[in-house]
Each structure stands twice: as C-alpha cells, then as structure tokens.
Amino acid sequence: MGRRFTAEELLEADPIWILDLNLAGQVYRFASENVEIQDLNLNKTYRYLGTLSDVDFTSSASFFDADLSLPSAGVTVVFDVDLAELISRGADLGSAGAELSLWLVGNNYDDRQTVVKGTATTGEFGAAGEPVKFMIEPEWLETSKAIPGPAAFVSGDSFSNAAENAEGLAYPVIIGKPGAYARYAGSPAYVINTSTELLLIADGIVDASTVKIEDSEGNTVTGKAVLNATDSLGQAYSYVDISGFYVAGRSYFTHWNDGSSEPGGGGGGIPLAFDKRPEDSTGDAPGGYLTNAGDVIRYLLLRSGLPLDEGRTVAACEQLQDISLNGYIGERTDCLEILKDDVLPLVPVSLRAGVNGVYPIVWRYWAKVEDAAANLTADKDIFRNGGIRYEGNRIANEFVFKWRHNAKRNKLTKTSTLTGDPSVNVGGVVIDNTFREQTSAVSRNIYTVNSYSKYGTRSKTIRSRFIGYPKDAFRVLAWKSQAEGQRHKSISYLAPFKYAWLEPGSVVTITDPELHLVEQLVLVRSIEWAQDSLVLDLLLVPNLFTDKITAG
C-alpha cells in the first residue's frame, strides 16, 4: 500500500484507478475499466467493475504553509446491486471504508499505489443503476498528543514538599542547550523539596551531566550534577541538588552548560536517542542532544501520536540540520501547535499528510539545475496550460528578527535586521548563509537589495523563542530573504501519466522557447489527475546573480 511507482514503471504503462469499498461487511470493487487483479499472497483473483469515473484527486502542498490538510478524493461509481435497497436494510454508506489506488496492468494486487484511504463521506445515491457520488477522507488527524505528559506538573500529589511558587507549573521540556551561549537564563527550574533543597530542571531524562543555576537575585552556582528520578505519579524528571544555595521565595533558572566559558560543556536537553533512527537499528543510538531543526521536527511528529511516514520524514529531516534550535516548552502544548507556531516558520518546510502518514516537505528554494529530478521541454514532454501567473504572496526585504528568549526576564533579548535599503549603515553582509562580519545587528544580502530595488522597503518582524545563537538567526534570515523577496510566479502544464512519480516539493527544470524559459528551475506544488493527463502546478524559482556584495 505504501509504495510509489517509479519513473521506469510508468514509461510504458498508464495506471488504472481502482477502488475498494467496504460496505456492511462486503467489499465492492470498482475500476476505471473492467479488470481482474491477482492477489498472489492470498491466491485470489479480484474482479473490478469498470464503472469508476470522475476521480477528483490532487496531490498538493502549500508553499511554506504550516497548516496540515488531509488528502481526499471524490469519485463516482455505479453499483451492480441496488444500493438504495441495501441502505434501506441498514447499510451505511457514510461509514463505509474506502481505499483509492493506482494499479498497473499485470501487477500483483499488493503492488498497487494507494493515494487515499479512509471513510466515504458526503455521499449521494439514487435508484438502482444511478451514479453514486462520495468523497473519501481519512480520519486519523482528529487529534494529536501534547507535551509534557498529563501528569508532568508540580503538585502536592507528585511532591509533598514543593515550594509554593512552583505548584501547578509544568515540567519544562528542554530542546538543545538554552542559555549555553552568552550565559543567559535558558529555562525555568522549580524547587520540589524545600527541606532537601532539590530543584527540578526538566521533564524526563536529559543528556546534560552538569548545569549552571541562577536565582532571581542574580546569584549563580556552577557544575551542579544532573540527577534523574520518578515522581509519585510515575513521571520521570531531571533535577539538581542546590543545598546551601536555596533561599525560600526565590525563583530559579537553568543555564544549560557547566559554567565554563565554552557553551558546549555539560550537555543538553532531550537526548538525540529519543528514538533510534532506522539506520541505527543494528548499532548504538546516536549520542548527544536534540537540537538540529530536522531532528526536532521528527521528535515532535513522533510525540504527536499521528501516523508518520517514517522513510520520507527521515529523508526530509536530514536536509534540515544546519539550523539549531535551543529553548524550552513551559506549558503543556499540542505537538502540532508547537510545530506550526514555533518550528516550521524557521525552516523552508510544509507538512503533508499522505496515505502512510504525516511527513515534511522541504522546499529547496536554493536548488541548482543539477539538482533537478527531471528536465522537461514544452510541446515535447509537457504542454502549457495557460500563461505565467503572478502570485499574491507577501513580499519582504527588511526582516527584523527578535530572538533569544531569556527565561528570567521572560522576553526576547536580541534583535537582528536584514535589510535591502542601501542607505542603512550595516556591519556586514550575509554570503552563503554566513554572516561575514558580526560587528552589527544590521546586515544585507543580494536578495534583499534586489527586492528593495523593485519594491522599496517591505518590512516584516519575526519572533522566535527557539533561536539562541547568532549563526542560526542569520541562517533563518538568509533563506527567508531568498524565498520572500520576490513576487512568486507559477505556471501550469499538462503532462502524460508517466510523470506521476513526481510529487509536491520535487525540483525540475522546464524549457519553453515561447516563454523564453531555458532550464528554468521550478518546484512542483501540486499534481492533479485529469481524465487524460496530469496537471502540474509549478512554482518558478528566481535566478538572481550570486556575486558577492560589499558592506556599507
């Protein structure tokens, strides 16, 4: 069910739509033509009635959109039994299980490519022999789980001698090493025993071996050994002993380093081995702590409890390792909400739900011609379906980025600006995602300068509690300036079914002499299945000069 057809498989054969509908305990099978399909595993042959038509299915993803929508499909079938009579006897089309797939002639039943699996909804039926219409929609995205766990709160049930100012507060979930860089208060910590002077610093077991503690008066103590325990409700947590440092009524905060001048000392929060990756299944789990954006996305998707397309998720997350996240989750929050509000806005990613579960799509806006999965030529491989369209996206070329959350001050304490205005004094430039002269909070690059020359100043403010290091702030600004500095353009082409192996996020090139396009890089946004062809919706990638520019 989870397989995808390869380009080689689609060269000589067009796929056929097949539909399996489980209604009142009976499986009804329909296809876009009369076919018989063998199931070699069960030694059975399935007969499909060729009355499936008007299949409405589009494989799509919104560009840089954090919202997650479910795949769905509309179909029309004609039963060879009286459906109205079945329903009058108690059958319920609205609760029937449905699976819509693509099948290649000669293949085994298990070699089909399922595109939507779920429940038949919003149906319409009539008398015997009349067309039956319905939608197929999955239902597994109704809810996702929250972190920390439901019992991860300081209370009299979990700790009988906790400080009064700690009661009711959630165990902080630590991502990366908040507070390690520049030695600021990275996360809150709570006194859970005023007699033995124990301080809870994190939910669960963390990677850190030692941390630095600061109180609300600015006093600090370094090199505190991290210990682990389980509260009376069975919730694991990490803590330190602050005997001799504790003063009643004060608040406490954790710097996730060992107090040395090097931010890397002491270790971090959630261990990177939160769940072994497939490639680690026969060896040791990766060491270290969770911090790279790709690993954080995978962690949150796993913790959400939603079905996960593991293979695609691992492949996508491997492309998102150059931006590190460092912060904490201080309130019990839905995992998808954390992703949508705090993580996905920092990386060029959209979430997509496929038949095998949720997975990230990385929009490779920085791709080069050699990265293209296919090179398509108009009137040969593909056929234009209209002209080039200008999109209504919001343009930005002056980014004001507020970052580094100080838990003690409960505010973002750093601001970095990337501008295109040549009249603004800057202290450096961003080249190849690297800020070459970190003497100023203001810089510019070729993308903001180019955008400013066309549109004037278009300002945008960004905020993040998970960015703590300058390098990560400027890497976020670098890709945003490239992706948001121009008016987006798109174009649609008709393509034969042999290109059905493409998917949202694929990088291809198009050559269209009529539009003066030569190996134009495009990103696939959607693939619609029309009656006789595919409809490709493509987003054009601007090709600006890559020459370095000087500061000032």
Side-chain angles (χ1 to χ4, degrees), residues 106-378:
N107 277 6
N108 182 41
Y109 178 70
D110 281 349
D111 289 331
R112 69 197 185 281
Q113 177 181 315
T114 301
V115 298
V116 181
K117 183 177 182 181
T119 303
T121 63
T122 59
E124 175 185 331
F125 69 94
E130 293 183 0
V132 178
K133 302 178 181 180
F134 55 88
M135 296 291 295
I136 305 170
E137 297 179 344
E139 295 181 337
W140 46 257
L141 196 62
E142 296 297 328
T143 59
S144 69
K145 297 179 181 178
I147 55 174
F153 292 88
V154 179
S155 68
D157 294 326
S158 53
F159 301 104
S160 59
N161 200 23
E164 185 176 349
N165 62 2
E167 292 183 359
L169 299 176
Y171 300 179
V173 177
I174 308 301
I175 294 174
K177 290 173 64 68
Y181 191 92
R183 296 179 294 279
Y184 63 96
S187 61
Y190 309 124
V191 177
I192 53 175
N193 193 316
T194 56
S195 298
T196 56
E197 302 181 353
L198 303 181
L199 188 70
L200 184 148
I201 60 171
D203 175 63
I205 297 173
V206 295
D207 168 73
S209 56
T210 56
V211 295
K212 174 182 175 181
I213 302 298
E214 179 181 353
D215 69 15
S216 51
E217 300 300 313
N219 303 303
T220 61
V221 60
T222 61
K224 302 304 293 182
V226 177
L227 306 170
N228 307 117
T230 302
D231 65 24
S232 58
L233 298 179
Q235 178 69 41
Y237 64 93
S238 297
Y239 72 99
V240 295
D241 186 334
I242 56 169
S243 298
F245 185 69
Y246 168 68
V247 177
R250 291 184 181 177
S251 299
Y252 294 87
F253 308 91
T254 306
H255 297 234
W256 289 85
N257 62 21
D258 57 8
S260 67
S261 58
E262 293 296 325
I270 300 168
L272 188 56
F274 63 88
D275 183 75
K276 284 189 176 182
R277 304 180 192 182
E279 63 266 31
D280 299 313
S281 59
T282 57
D284 294 332
Y289 53 90
L290 191 74
T291 187
N292 293 334
D295 292 323
V296 174
I297 290 172
R298 182 169 173 267
Y299 167 80
L300 290 170
L301 287 175
L302 283 169
R303 289 295 302 270
S304 74
L306 297 174
L308 184 65
D309 190 326
E310 180 72 8
R312 289 183 176 179
T313 297
V314 170
C317 290
E318 288 297 333
Q319 303 176 55
L320 300 169
Q321 301 297 306
D322 61 340
I323 294 176
S324 63
L325 306 182
N326 298 274
Y328 70 95
I329 300 163
E331 298 286 345
R332 189 164 191 261
T333 310
D334 181 278
C335 289
L336 279 186
E337 291 301 316
I338 298 169
L339 276 169
K340 290 192 294 184
D341 294 343
D342 294 309
V343 178
L344 296 184
L346 304 175
V347 288
V349 166
S350 298
L351 286 184
R352 185 165 183 264
V355 68
N356 291 329
V358 179
Y359 64 95
I361 291 177
V362 181
W363 297 101
R364 292 184 289 164
Y365 216 67
W366 55 87
K368 301 177 182 178
V369 171
E370 52 266 30
D371 299 322
N375 301 295
L376 307 177
T377 301

Side-chain angles (χ1 to χ4, degrees), residues 490-514:
S490 62
I491 191 168
S492 175
Y493 283 90
L494 303 179
F497 291 121
K498 68 180 181 179
Y499 291 111
W501 57 270
L502 293 171
E503 57 185 334
S506 292
V507 178
V508 300
T509 67
I510 55 173
T511 295
D512 191 332
E514 291 184 344

